[in-house]
Amino acid sequence: EVQVVESGGGLVQPGGSLRLSCAASGFSVSDNYMNWVRQAPGKGLQWVSLIYSGGSTYYADSVKGRFSMSRDISKNTVYLQMNSLRDEDTAVYYCARDPNGYFSFESWGQGTLVTVSS
Amino acid sequence: EIVMTQSPATLSVSPGERATLSCRASQSVSTNLVWYQQKPGQAPRLLIYDASTRATGIPDRFSGSGSGTEFTLTISSLQSEDFAVYYCQQFNYWPPITFGQGTRLEIK
């Protein structure tokens, strides 16, 4: 069964850092496009980042230079390192799998909540 | 950045009736358009990709149409489980991949 499970969310002060994890099962992260999508409380969906099967990464302008996406193939896990966090980064962060490179997100985790507040 | 605009913001429809949701792109995205459904407290669920192709396991009462800048998601006969928020998403010009702001489909 295909599954992704996010972890690592929590409360952090502005300017702080956090690393989110997305553990995959039932498929290999190295064979899929993996994405992070976030949703601020009561708001819509916002794409954050993508890692290609080949390892290239792409980011939304709002997080470029502050967030970094990576993966550990041996652990079948992708990560989102978030630095210099701002109030507006408060959101539920979802890990989403795109198995075909069609930029349609077929499998999602349950999300992990990141709250940036002093 | 491509801006996706969904209308209406809220749509009230009775069970058994047809619902028509719209999504407009600020410039042509061809058929590189995806639809999701999201229920409260849940992750989004993929419904439609390539503007009109149903994802695996999606009932045939859901259909997508359109190309260029105008797209429509139609639910032919609403079931109780269909009341949710629906999002469109484009990937023709990326990064960034962009979503519409959502349409809330509520019971009339």
Side-chain angles (χ1 to χ4, degrees):
Chain A
E1 180 190 2
V2 168
Q3 192 174 16
V4 294
V5 178
E6 304 94 338
S7 61
L11 174 63
V12 61
Q13 292 187 337
S17 298
L18 213 54
R19 188 177 83 156
L20 306 184
S21 299
C22 168
S25 57
F27 69 97
S28 172
V29 298
S30 61
D31 294 335
N32 290 258
Y33 292 6
M34 298 298 295
N35 294 262
W36 288 97
V37 177
R38 68 185 181 184
Q39 186 168 36
K43 303 296 184 183
L45 302 170
Q46 182 187 27
W47 175 79
V48 173
S49 63
L50 156 67
I51 186 165
Y52 267 178
S53 51
S56 301
T57 53
Y58 301 85
Y59 302 92
D61 284 348
S62 58
V63 307
K64 199 175 297 181
R66 301 187 298 123
F67 289 13
S68 177
M69 188 172 183
S70 62
R71 67 187 181 188
D72 184 331
I73 294 173
S74 68
K75 295 182 178 179
N76 210 28
T77 298
V78 298
Y79 303 97
L80 185 67
Q81 177 66 46
M82 305 185 296
N83 299 328
S84 302
L85 282 160
R86 306 167 178 167
D87 291 351
E88 56 265 33
D89 296 317
T90 294
V92 173
Y93 285 72
Y94 293 103
C95 177
R97 168 192 179 229
D98 169 10
N100 301 309
Y102 294 163
F103 297 90
S104 55
F105 305 145
E106 226 177 71
S107 307
W108 298 66
Q110 82 291 348
T112 187
L113 176 62
V114 172
T115 303
V116 184
S117 175
S118 54
Chain B
E1 172 175 326
I2 303 293
V3 176
M4 307 301 292
T5 303
Q6 293 186 240
S7 60
T10 302
L11 181 63
S12 299
V13 183
S14 299
E17 293 189 341
R18 173 186 299 255
T20 303
L21 290 67
S22 296
C23 174
R24 174 177 293 176
S26 59
Q27 58 184 283
S28 175
V29 298
S30 185
T31 57
N32 295 318
L33 192 286
V34 184
W35 288 95
Y36 300 90
Q37 175 195 67
Q38 187 179 33
K39 297 180 180 178
Q42 296 185 16
R45 173 194 183 194
L46 175 65
L47 294 177
I48 302 282
Y49 62 93
D50 282 349
S52 61
T53 303
R54 275 188 302 276
T56 302
I58 301 303
D60 60 7
R61 65 180 181 272
F62 289 90
S63 63
S65 63
S67 65
T69 62
E70 300 286 341
F71 300 88
T72 299
L73 175 69
T74 301
I75 311 170
S76 59
S77 178
L78 279 164
Q79 307 297 303
S80 57
E81 62 266 29
D82 299 335
F83 293 95
V85 179
Y86 292 83
Y87 294 95
C88 61
Q89 171 230 307
Q90 73 81 28
F91 58 92
N92 196 58
Y93 294 102
W94 77 279
I97 296 164
T98 52
F99 292 87
Q101 81 280 14
T103 289
R104 181 179 305 277
L105 180 58
E106 64 177 29
I107 301 174
K108 187 174 182 180

